[in-house]
Amino acid sequence: MLFTSAEFILVFLPLVFLVYFWLNHRRQTQAGKSWLVLASLFFYGWWNPAYVPLILLSMGINFGIGAALSAAAPAGRQRVPVLLAGIVFNLGLLAYFKYAGFLVANIDRLFGAAIPVPEIALPLAISFFSFTQIAYLVDCHRGEVKDRDPLNYALFVSFFPHLIAGPIVHHKAIISQFASARNLVRHYPNIVLGLFIFTLGLFKKVVVADSFALWATTGFDQAPALNFFEAWFTSLAYTFQIYFDFSGYTDMAIGASLLFNIRLPINFNSPYKALDIRDFWRRWHITLSQFLRDYLYVPLGGNRARPARIYTNLFVTFALGGLWHGASWMFVIWGASHGAAIVLHRLWRQWGRKSGRRMPALLAWFITFNFVNLTWVFFRAKGWDDAMKVMKGMAGLNGVILPQAARDGLGFLQGWGIHFGAWIERIGGDATTVPWLAAALILALAFRNSNELFFAPDSKRFIGPGWATAIAVIASVSILLSWASTYTEFIYFNF
Amino acid sequence: MQTKARKAALIFLGAALLPLLLAFSGFFIYDPLQVYHRPWGRQTSLHSNLRLQAAGVIRHYPFDSVIFGTSMTENTSADEASGLLGSHFVNISLTASDFVERSIVLDYLLRWRKIEQVVFSLDSVYMNRRRGYPLFPISTFDFLYDRNPFNDIRVYLNSHFARCLGRWSGEESCVGRNVGLDHPNAWFREPEHAERFGGMENWCKARDYYQIKDAYEALRKANGKIASGTVNTPSEAELREAQAQAIRYIDENVVLHVRSHPETRFHLLFPPYSRALFAIWYQSIPLDASVHMAVLRHLANLASQLPNMDVYGFEGDDFPDDLANYKDLAHYRESFDSLILKTIASRRNRLSAGNVEDYIRVASGKARAFDLPALQRRLEQCNGPH
């Protein structure tokens, strides 16, 4: 069930909300939690009921391992193998469902083998609930988990707002909120802010991201070749699509969760405002960055090693982070590119400290934004050839075409090999493309993000009839657009 | 703050839900495709896009059997089928549909109500194993046939039906035409189709019509390959792969329903295309011919095993030889729809494990003997060079 679907917005969310607080109101708090767990499993099973047993199995085994870790003596030697067994279980599950086909295909290619590539459907959210539970096991190992209640654990893992696409949460951060008596009653300021954040997320997703998706999809998947502007607009369209899509979805998760008085961690903090690549990763998919830092980079040695080892650790962490996004070499290339950029940035900072020189902020932003934009090409492309198609276009190797209307003023450029005519036709671009890109850039750079707006100390100023009406209009439009279908005039005789 | 926030929450919900409520109520009452109910306050009509309309028919109209094909069966009279085959038929054939599209609707139909008989056309889409017609992507109608009733409203959430609702329009593009379910999308009465039946001279008169142009182009290509000796001969492996894929496509989208619904009788019929079309396959596209033969064998064998399935073929008959019976290389005149129903009623022309090899021998013999260059010449003579 998607957050944007009619069944979620009109039926599931209101029903779960009303029943949960009704049970709490009758002091049936355990029943309330059970209701949330059942509702979350229903939410998960809506996609494919066949995978509900998988998430239940995963939760059961991880809870058991967590209990064993918590019960063992803090300094006991047996704790490490138990933790490793838990991590191997989660990564094994992930490897089987997500990477088995990729692995076999690569073995076949590398060794000329003919092992049949298994066609395994990827269970929804497996990457997220696996990482969430790995973090839980490590927290158990560190003795940070005090609560051993299985219902609380099931709620922590399956709580529907974060189940499908994060943010990646920590046990103590969630369970302590459910345990708070204050959170068991309807808290209207939270409800209002939750509705507002959910609405802005919905708007980001269905109005902004889905508009860019049309150009990005056409450019990446359908156009046989791209000229300079088509290629740049394709990559920029995807750059904005992925940001507004993912951050919109995260906003919806945070907003939905806030209705239940549960505050999920911030996951995006205006990443395209970043002035360097490290800054970008402190703003983009923050909970994943923190997970990779705490559970991969630090165990590898973190910053407490020799420089060469630190650089290797950084690179490996990002390459694996890339692979986490999907079983494809393109994700590895994307992750490795960011890893390399992080290493370069670290060297640059060291040089800057010694020399006392700093890059101008505007130039730093320009480089960072364009690097991120370029590397998204690898993230989005289905294969190397598709990526190169876009890259070649961006490099101007397929020519530069300006709109016909510009010929009068810029006709002299023809002598430089620049043509005039259909300039963004192959990506389905039209007169709205440039304004959309400009507006998205302004939206991403010049405005405060939803967290800054609604979690700021002065956020109470939004709680009033004016803002409620304005955001309700956005909600209405977004809901109708998110459910809209296309209608094609029936060309009856065209058979 | 709690009180102020409570008021803001109520204002938000009211302001957000009111437009939705108005839109949904409006569409529920207007309901041009009869997704929710039979027409209120207007005449019964049917939209010509049956991909969208069939859901309403399945939910709200009385019948127990369907003619469920493509343009090949759009002329078939459901009333005549009811008389001959003894059930209450309706014709909900989906124009230019493939087996995947029809499987979506058929699955819903068989889940929704008890069906006695299904007449299903086995169009040659098994050769390319198409999964959706580009003009009407599956995503624009499949939600009407899933298990989720809440998303049905999506069919109206577009500018077209919004305009229809705004005007409470009774126009054909909104609510369809006042036709029955006998053959709601019958095309044989439409002049641009009807005028091409009757012989080559009528094809000539319509030489600029795209179907005639396509026919000429298909003949030109086939004859060109034959004359130059460049007919592609696929390898055994290619043939096996193509045949296996076609059979899998049919099994997953057609036979699956036959097996799952033993209480329903399925009459699967290979449409009697013109001999010229079969000749193009057999003489110039060995891969297609081989896939066709493999599918004939597969379904004939299954028909011998499955008591609720009959398969009919017409390639042994003479009427495909006469182009006067066709408006293009594939579509036959309506009198043959009647003939097909009579054939089903009398259980003639059934394919089985016992007769399929004889059938293929006769069919391939006729197709190979057909004079394709002569037909191209006739078209060129009457039309002038294209």
Side-chain angles (χ1 to χ4, degrees):
Chain A
M1 198 183 298
L2 294 172
F3 288 160
T4 52
S5 63
E7 52 271 24
F8 180 82
I9 294 174
L10 290 188
V11 182
F12 180 85
L13 188 59
L15 187 69
V16 175
F17 173 86
L18 291 173
V19 172
Y20 174 68
F21 284 109
W22 177 75
L23 288 168
N24 284 345
H25 182 68
R26 295 174 62 91
R27 300 185 189 284
Q28 302 289 326
T29 52
Q30 288 300 98
K33 285 181 191 171
S34 304
W35 165 250
L36 276 189
V37 171
L38 286 174
S40 298
L41 291 173
F42 176 81
F43 171 83
Y44 184 76
W46 186 268
W47 168 71
N48 185 351
Y51 285 113
V52 173
L54 177 75
I55 191 172
L56 287 173
L57 176 80
S58 171
M59 283 174 4
I61 289 179
N62 277 294
F63 181 72
I65 294 171
L69 281 168
S70 299
R77 281 188 178 177
Q78 69 275 31
R79 285 159 52 87
V80 172
V82 174
L83 174 66
L84 285 177
I87 292 172
V88 166
F89 167 73
N90 284 297
L91 293 182
L93 211 59
L94 207 52
Y96 174 74
F97 283 104
K98 195 166 178 174
Y99 301 108
F102 176 65
L103 191 68
V104 172
N106 278 289
I107 290 171
D108 282 355
R109 198 175 305 157
L110 205 60
F111 301 107
I115 307 167
V117 178
E119 290 179 11
I120 303 165
L122 182 66
L124 192 68
I126 191 169
S127 304
F128 283 96
F129 69 68
S130 296
F131 269 31
T132 298
Q133 295 185 103
I134 288 173
Y136 168 77
L137 295 181
V138 177
D139 290 348
C140 285
H141 180 257
R142 290 173 179 168
E144 294 173 1
V145 175
K146 306 295 177 207
D147 186 289
R148 310 252 174 84
D149 181 52
L151 184 59
N152 282 348
Y153 180 76
L155 184 55
F156 148 69
V157 177
S158 68
F159 186 44
F160 70 88
H162 74 72
L163 177 62
I164 305 297
I168 298 168
V169 293
H170 284 272
H171 182 264
K172 64 181 174 193
I174 294 295
I175 292 310
S176 62
Q177 294 188 67
F178 274 112
S180 165
R182 284 188 71 237
N183 289 341
L184 295 177
V185 294
R186 280 197 295 266
H187 190 59
Y188 283 100
N190 278 350
I191 292 171
V192 172
L193 292 179
L195 289 170
F196 286 4
I197 296 171
F198 187 90
T199 298
L200 290 191
L202 187 67
F203 179 82
K204 281 182 184 178
K205 169 82 182 79
V206 303
V207 178
V208 185
D210 289 356
S211 299
F212 284 117
L214 293 172
W215 299 313
T217 304
T218 312
F220 274 104
D221 299 339
Q222 289 164 24
L226 300 166
N227 68 43
F228 180 78
F229 285 109
E230 286 168 338
W232 274 96
F233 287 1
T234 295
S235 73
L236 286 168
Y238 185 67
T239 290
F240 290 120
Q241 182 201 342
I242 191 169
Y243 169 58
F244 285 106
D245 189 288
F246 197 12
S247 79
Y249 207 83
T250 304
D251 281 352
M252 285 188 270
I254 291 171
S257 181
L258 203 56
L259 298 178
F260 298 87
N261 299 320
I262 303 300
R263 193 164 158 178
L264 295 180
I266 290 169
N267 217 17
F268 289 88
N269 184 21
S270 303
Y272 293 154
K273 289 177 185 171
L275 297 183
D276 59 59
I277 195 66
R278 191 177 66 151
D279 188 22
F280 174 79
W281 278 103
R282 285 177 173 169
R283 294 166 175 267
W284 178 272
H285 204 173
I286 296 166
T287 57
L288 176 67
S289 305
Q290 288 169 345
F291 180 93
L292 292 173
R293 182 196 63 201
D294 295 344
Y295 301 108
L296 184 57
Y297 178 66
V298 171
L300 282 172
N303 291 339
R304 293 164 303 170
R306 285 178 301 170
R309 180 66 189 268
I310 291 174
Y311 301 143
T312 308
N313 291 346
L314 280 170
F315 185 80
V316 167
T317 301
F318 275 89
L320 289 175
L323 190 61
W324 175 83
H325 287 83
S328 157
W329 284 112
M330 301 311 288
F331 289 117
V332 178
I333 292 170
W334 171 78
S337 308
H338 276 264
I342 287 276
V343 170
L344 271 177
H345 174 255
R346 197 178 174 92
L347 291 167
W348 171 265
R349 270 197 311 147
Q350 285 167 357
W351 176 81
R353 270 197 218 109
K354 283 180 194 161
S355 65
R357 299 178 73 172
R358 290 191 67 179
M359 188 181 285
L362 191 62
L363 181 61
W365 172 82
F366 184 80
I367 291 172
T368 306
F369 180 78
N370 278 290
F371 172 78
V372 169
N373 179 45
L374 282 173
T375 49
W376 281 136
V377 172
F378 294 102
F379 189 91
R380 171 60 178 79
K382 286 179 180 161
W384 182 255
D385 290 344
D386 282 347
M388 286 303 106
K389 175 186 81 178
V390 179
M391 287 293 188
K392 275 182 191 166
M394 292 172 86
L397 297 179
N398 291 329
V400 180
I401 300 175
L402 285 168
Q404 194 66 37
R407 186 191 287 270
D408 288 345
L410 301 171
F412 65 92
L413 290 173
Q414 276 181 311
W416 295 76
I418 292 171
H419 302 280
F420 293 85
W423 69 310
I424 49 174
E425 204 170 53
R426 280 180 296 194
I427 64 167
D430 53 29
T432 65
T433 309
V434 174
W436 265 100
L437 287 168
L441 191 64
I442 291 167
L443 207 60
L445 296 181
F447 287 87
R448 292 161 73 186
N449 59 52
S450 49
N451 301 309
E452 290 168 332
L453 286 171
F454 298 120
F455 291 131
D458 65 343
S459 64
K460 289 190 172 56
R461 70 194 163 95
F462 291 109
I463 299 172
W467 280 103
T469 310
I471 295 181
V473 171
I474 296 174
S476 256
V477 171
S478 303
I479 289 170
L480 282 172
L481 284 175
S482 71
W483 301 336
S485 59
T486 52
Y487 176 83
T488 312
E489 200 60 50
F490 188 70
I491 307 166
Y492 170 59
F493 296 113
N494 194 5
F495 55 81
Chain B
M1 180 47 73
Q2 186 81 342
T3 312
K4 191 181 173 190
R6 189 166 187 268
K7 194 175 157 193
L10 290 174
I11 289 171
F12 174 89
L13 290 175
L17 294 180
L18 189 66
L20 298 180
L21 202 65
L22 286 175
F24 292 176
S25 306
F27 279 126
F28 180 82
I29 296 165
Y30 178 46
D31 197 15
L33 297 170
Q34 301 165 59
V35 172
Y36 304 108
H37 53 77
R38 294 284 288 267
W40 289 348
R42 63 177 168 85
Q43 272 195 323
T44 298
S45 55
L46 294 171
H47 200 280
S48 56
N49 186 344
L50 273 163
R51 285 171 175 81
L52 305 180
Q53 180 65 82
V57 172
I58 292 167
R59 290 172 200 182
H60 307 300
Y61 284 76
F63 65 92
D64 58 30
S65 295
V66 290
I67 294 161
F68 195 47
T70 58
S71 56
M72 291 296 148
T73 53
E74 282 181 324
N75 290 339
T76 307
S77 164
D79 294 345
E80 187 180 5
S82 302
L84 286 167
L85 304 178
S87 297
H88 184 184
F89 274 86
V90 294
N91 188 331
I92 53 169
S93 295
L94 309 184
T95 308
S97 58
D98 56 48
F99 295 173
V100 173
E101 293 176 282
R102 276 190 273 166
S103 177
I104 291 167
V105 180
L106 194 55
D107 180 59
Y108 179 80
L109 168 70
L110 295 169
R111 218 168 55 227
W112 186 266
R113 60 199 301 166
K114 189 175 178 303
I115 294 296
E116 288 181 5
Q117 301 184 67
V118 175
V119 174
F120 189 98
S121 67
L122 293 163
D123 304 67
S124 59
V125 284
Y126 48 79
M127 287 175 180
N128 60 16
R129 301 171 304 285
R130 205 185 76 191
R131 310 182 86 83
Y133 187 38
L135 272 177
F136 307 107
I138 286 176
S139 62
T140 62
F141 67 90
D142 61 348
F143 52 85
L144 287 168
Y145 304 97
D146 61 17
R147 291 171 188 273
N148 176 6
F150 300 109
N151 59 11
D152 292 349
I153 190 74
R154 289 189 58 217
V155 76
Y156 296 136
L157 298 182
N158 50 60
S159 55
H160 173 74
F161 283 116
R163 277 197 298 273
C164 292
L165 173 67
R167 291 178 282 126
W168 208 267
S169 172
E171 287 173 14
E172 190 178 319
S173 68
C174 296
V175 299
R177 293 176 295 172
N178 183 15
V179 289
L181 283 161
D182 181 24
H183 35 33
N185 275 349
W187 45 262
F188 68 90
R189 293 192 200 96
E190 301 296 332
E192 66 178 312
H193 296 286
E195 68 193 7
R196 277 181 279 139
F197 290 114
M200 184 56 69
E201 64 275 17
N202 291 334
W203 280 35
C204 292
K205 284 179 199 160
R207 61 178 175 274
D208 291 329
Y209 197 81
Y210 76 95
Q211 287 180 329
I212 301 301
K213 283 184 170 177
D214 288 350
Y216 176 77
E217 194 53 31
L219 285 165
R220 196 186 59 77
K221 267 190 192 166
N223 287 326
K225 281 196 274 187
I226 296 163
S228 62
T230 55
V231 171
N232 180 33
T233 311
S235 68
E236 271 302 311
E238 282 174 312
L239 288 175
R240 273 200 306 275
E241 177 62 18
Q243 290 168 1
Q245 286 183 5
I247 286 169
R248 199 178 314 132
Y249 179 76
I250 288 174
D251 283 352
E252 287 172 359
N253 296 295
V254 184
V255 178
L256 174 78
H257 301 294
V258 179
R259 289 186 193 278
S260 306
H261 294 277
E263 74 284 3
T264 304
R265 171 152 290 280
F266 288 82
H267 308 283
L268 310 184
L269 55 99
F270 285 95
Y273 300 132
S274 73
R275 188 74 64 206
L277 183 57
F278 289 119
I280 288 172
W281 297 353
Y282 279 98
Q283 294 182 34
S284 73
I285 320 173
L287 187 70
D288 284 0
S290 123
V291 167
H292 177 58
M293 286 188 280
V295 167
L296 280 167
R297 286 190 182 99
H298 176 67
L299 287 174
N301 287 329
L302 278 178
S304 298
Q305 296 164 22
L306 298 170
N308 62 326
M309 179 176 114
D310 291 317
V311 179
Y312 296 87
F314 301 89
E315 290 170 73
D317 291 11
D318 291 332
F319 74 79
D321 293 314
D322 186 357
L323 269 185
N325 294 326
Y326 292 84
K327 74 175 175 95
D328 52 40
L329 288 176
H331 294 91
Y332 43 85
R333 59 163 77 242
E334 76 282 5
S335 53
F336 291 120
D337 291 274
S338 194
L339 184 71
I340 288 166
L341 288 178
K342 286 172 185 148
T343 306
I344 294 173
S346 62
R347 299 173 66 75
R348 284 181 284 117
N349 285 41
R350 278 191 305 147
L351 299 179
S352 66
N355 68 12
V356 69
E357 293 305 330
D358 283 344
Y359 177 87
I360 288 173
R361 185 176 48 74
V362 171
S364 60
K366 282 175 177 261
R368 289 198 170 98
F370 188 85
D371 192 347
L372 283 172
L375 180 58
Q376 184 184 339
R377 280 195 302 276
R378 283 173 68 197
L379 266 173
E380 284 169 350
Q381 279 164 12
C382 74
N383 291 340
H386 277 64

